[in-house]
Amino acid sequence: MLCESHSSKRLKIEHLIINFNVLQKVMKILLYTILLCYLRESWAAQVLLSPQLTNWGTWGEFEYCPEGSKVIAAQIKVELWSGGLIDDTCLNGIKLICGQVGGGVTRNITSKVGQFGSYKPTVHSCNGNGFMTGFMLRVEEEGGAIIDETATNNLRILCSGSPNGFIELEGERWGEWTNPRICDSHEYICGLQTQVQDGQGITVDDTSLNNIRVQCCDLSQEDLLFYGIKKEQNGVI
């Protein structure tokens, strides 16, 4: 009976060890799954912010392309330089055109737009099946109260298939170009938010558009296969 008792206890201990090992494996799988879901959410939620070399104005609402649509073109609203003592604002608005690659336009997104100037007639499109993946801004940094501040002057868009190239729009020439802000290789730009200073009146300097944020969205599995893209994170330059 004593031997049977020891044998029974030994079996129970072995069962406990086996169950504990199984539980450990299940917990590892569960934690890995949670981590993977978190990383996917982090990738999908990536927002790129322009370098804040100026910071006047308030942010508009984020506007988004319809699900599955990508930004395939851009157009800008510009107040042309007037020279002399005239208050200039230069870039007043950005219009991103959403569409299906190889298909038609689905929506235009602008967020907040300044009151000065007009849209340039040219719509600049990514080539072929390309879509917007990043941007650069030309910004005149804050120069002091006696200078006519213009803040952001122009926009360059970066498109898929052209990692070393960009399309420069027809804004003004003041300031320097920022470093590019680029989505990861498995993402595309799908949303826009702008920071715009409202009109300040006759006696106060106006700057209009100052900064932008863009939303990066994950390419679908079909898109990844079509473009031959592997998931990896580029980071922000």
Side-chain angles (χ1 to χ4, degrees), residues 94-105:
I94 295 172
K95 181 189 294 182
L96 299 183
I97 293 92
C98 307
Q100 302 290 345
V101 173
V105 173

Side-chain angles (χ1 to χ4, degrees), residues 135-155:
F135 69 90
M136 301 165 66
L137 296 181
R138 187 166 197 163
V139 182
E140 183 179 39
E141 294 190 57
E142 183 176 353
I146 62 172
I147 296 177
D148 178 18
E149 309 284 3
T150 60
T152 300
N153 274 238
N154 203 359
L155 169 71

Side-chain angles (χ1 to χ4, degrees), residues 22-203:
V22 170
L23 181 61
Q24 276 189 316
K25 290 180 180 179
V26 171
M27 289 299 295
K28 285 181 180 179
I29 293 171
L30 181 60
L31 288 172
Y32 176 78
T33 303
I34 292 171
L35 178 61
L36 185 61
C37 290
Y38 172 78
L39 289 174
R40 283 178 176 172
E41 288 297 319
S42 298
W43 287 338
Q46 181 177 199
V47 174
L48 305 181
L49 170 65
S50 59
Q52 293 181 286
L53 302 179
T54 61
N55 193 30
W56 293 295
T58 57
W59 288 92
E61 296 294 325
F62 242 113
E63 294 185 6
Y64 300 95
C65 296
E67 186 175 356
S69 294
K70 304 170 180 64
V71 174
I72 57 174
Q75 188 179 15
I76 56 175
K77 183 181 182 184
V78 180
E79 181 187 38
L80 297 177
W81 183 65
S82 303
L85 300 176
I86 304 299
D87 185 10
D88 298 301
T89 58
C90 297
L91 192 61
N92 271 252
I94 295 172
K95 181 189 294 182
L96 299 183
I97 293 92
C98 307
Q100 302 290 345
V101 173
V105 173
T106 56
R107 182 180 297 165
N108 296 331
I109 55 176
T110 58
S111 188
K112 188 175 180 180
V113 177
Q115 67 190 68
F116 306 103
S118 58
Y119 279 99
K120 292 286 187 175
T122 304
V123 175
H124 295 267
S125 301
C126 294
N127 294 326
N129 290 323
F131 48 85
M132 186 174 169
T133 58
F135 69 90
M136 301 165 66
L137 296 181
R138 187 166 197 163
V139 182
E140 183 179 39
E141 294 190 57
E142 183 176 353
I146 62 172
I147 296 177
D148 178 18
E149 309 284 3
T150 60
T152 300
N153 274 238
N154 203 359
L155 169 71
R156 288 173 176 169
I157 62 172
L158 285 72
C159 296
S160 62
S162 302
N164 298 319
F166 54 82
I167 299 173
E168 184 173 326
L169 281 69
E170 59 272 70
E172 283 296 339
R173 61 191 182 278
W174 312 112
E176 302 295 332
W177 288 101
T178 65
N179 289 333
R181 295 292 192 261
I182 307 173
C183 296
D184 292 329
S185 62
H186 60 274
E187 296 174 330
Y188 60 93
I189 289 176
C190 61
L192 172 68
Q193 184 183 32
T194 58
Q195 182 191 26
V196 175
Q197 183 187 42
D198 296 322
Q200 301 296 294
I202 298 175
T203 60

